[in-house]
Amino acid sequence: MELINGKKYSPTIIGKNIDYNICILKIKPFKIVKLLKFNSKDLKTGKIVILQ
């Protein structure tokens, strides 16, 4: 997995729901990852979302 800032991580799948085509991934960054603000209008199939 590669974030917008170019950093690469190996994610672990925490959960998934095939019916809704979503999954929850966990990464262990070496330092704090800056999160972006968004709303539900920004979400589309295939977009990566990080929630904390």
Side-chain angles (χ1 to χ4, degrees):
M1 161 189 271
E2 184 174 339
L3 300 182
I4 293 172
N5 64 7
K7 304 274 182 172
K8 295 181 181 182
Y9 301 96
S10 297
T12 302
I13 297 175
I14 301 299
K16 61 184 175 180
N17 186 319
I18 296 172
D19 295 334
Y20 290 100
N21 195 27
I22 61 171
C23 70
I24 299 171
L25 304 175
K26 180 180 180 180
I27 62 171
K28 293 184 180 182
F30 294 108
K31 56 184 177 178
I32 296 175
V33 177
K34 184 176 180 181
L35 300 177
L36 303 173
K37 292 183 180 182
F38 65 91
N39 61 42
S40 60
K41 294 177 189 174
D42 298 328
L43 297 177
K44 294 182 182 173
T45 302
K47 281 201 168 186
I48 296 173
V49 178
I50 300 172
L51 302 174
Q52 182 176 6

